[in-house]
Structures are given as C-alpha cells and as structure tokens.
Amino acid sequence: MASLNEHTQDLDYGLYGPAAVVVWSYLTALISIGCILLIKTVRDPSYVFSATTSMSALATIFLMIWIVSMNLKYFKKINMNAIPSHYFTYSWWTSALLLVQSVIVFLTMGGPFSDHEKKSLLSRISVLNNIIIFLSFVLVMIQQIILDKFSVDVL
C-alpha cells in the first residue's frame, strides 16, 4: 500500500510537494493583501500614512515575499526532501505566526471603530504585533540558514 507522502510529493524530480504548496498559498495571500491595501488606499488616501498598520502590513508582505523567494530558489530540494526535517518545523511555526500577524493587520486596517476605540485597540495590539514580527523574522532567517548551509545537493 502506497503512503500518503508518495502521492503528495515528487521525490524523484521535485516537481510538486511542500514548496509548491507554500508558493501558491503565499502568492494568493500576497495578492489578497495587496488588493485590500490598494482598495483601502484608493478609498482613503490618508490610510497609507497610518504608521502602525502600514509597517505591520509591509513587514508581513516582506516576509511573505522572502518565503516565496526561498521556496522558489530551493524548490526542487524541498520537494525531494533533500533538506533537514527541522526545516518543516520552522516553516510550520512561521506560517502560524504569519497567520496571526495577518489577522492583526486585518483587525487594525479599520472597520466600524471610532477613533478612540481604534487608538485603544492599536496600543494594546502594538507590543504583541512587534514581538510576532520579530519572531517571524528570526524563524525565516533560521529557515534561510538551514536551506543555504544544511541542504543536500540533488542532481
């Protein structure tokens, strides 16, 4: 009986697998965040200069682009499992933190909040958001180091 891994990864050629899933899902999220930010900016031009929201959104976009570029660069190695298994643990934690960070970005983008409520919400979330951004950067750097220094060359 064939295992599930044989059907979800191309261990011979590395054409599909975890890297493909990450690339497609993060590109979809990037396009979504980009469109939402564009619509917000068109509707309210002063929105771009909202320091807390803009920096958080830019950090999230930067991290997603970095992860996509890493997965594209090492696409074949990741899909063929020619990397240490710890990479996938760090990748999972990074995805979880980026999900929380994206939720924070969407919460702080605005909604039916008054100015006082929004300032109160932003001040409470700001410290947590900065910690999440820092941890996300550290985890992505660890993934980059694992892929650069500890992956096995494939043909």
Side-chain angles (χ1 to χ4, degrees):
M1 183 171 190
S3 70
L4 180 63
N5 193 28
E6 291 176 20
H7 299 291
T8 59
Q9 274 183 283
D10 182 11
L11 298 175
D12 297 327
Y13 303 107
L15 300 175
Y16 57 88
V21 172
V22 168
V23 168
W24 279 103
S25 59
Y26 279 110
L27 283 177
T28 302
L30 275 168
I31 291 169
S32 299
I33 290 173
C35 289
I36 290 170
L37 287 173
L38 179 66
I39 291 170
K40 276 288 213 191
T41 304
V42 168
R43 291 178 71 202
D44 182 14
S46 66
Y47 176 76
V48 175
F49 301 106
S50 170
T52 306
T53 305
S54 295
M55 293 310 292
S56 177
L58 288 176
T60 303
I61 290 170
F62 176 77
L63 282 168
M64 287 182 173
I65 291 171
W66 188 5
I67 292 169
V68 167
S69 67
M70 256 190 334
N71 278 273
L72 288 173
K73 182 177 180 183
Y74 296 100
F75 192 81
K76 193 172 185 178
K77 288 182 181 183
I78 294 170
N79 287 340
M80 292 177 72
N81 274 341
I83 56 174
S85 60
H86 290 84
Y87 169 81
F88 295 106
T89 303
Y90 290 114
S91 179
W92 186 89
W93 281 106
T94 303
S95 296
L97 285 176
L98 278 174
L99 178 65
V100 171
Q101 191 175 339
S102 297
V103 167
I104 290 172
V105 167
F106 288 121
L107 284 176
T108 58
M109 272 187 179
F113 302 118
S114 67
D115 287 337
H116 183 309
E117 288 175 341
K118 188 171 183 174
K119 287 179 184 178
S120 175
L121 176 68
L122 287 176
S123 67
R124 283 186 255 147
I125 292 179
S126 180
V127 174
L128 175 66
N129 192 30
N130 290 335
I131 292 170
I132 290 172
I133 290 171
F134 175 75
L135 289 175
S136 298
F137 271 102
V138 169
L139 288 174
V140 173
M141 283 192 299
I142 290 171
Q143 289 178 58
Q144 183 75 49
I145 291 169
I146 288 172
L147 290 173
D148 286 343
K149 305 295 182 193
F150 300 106
S151 59
V152 178
D153 287 333
V154 291
L155 298 175

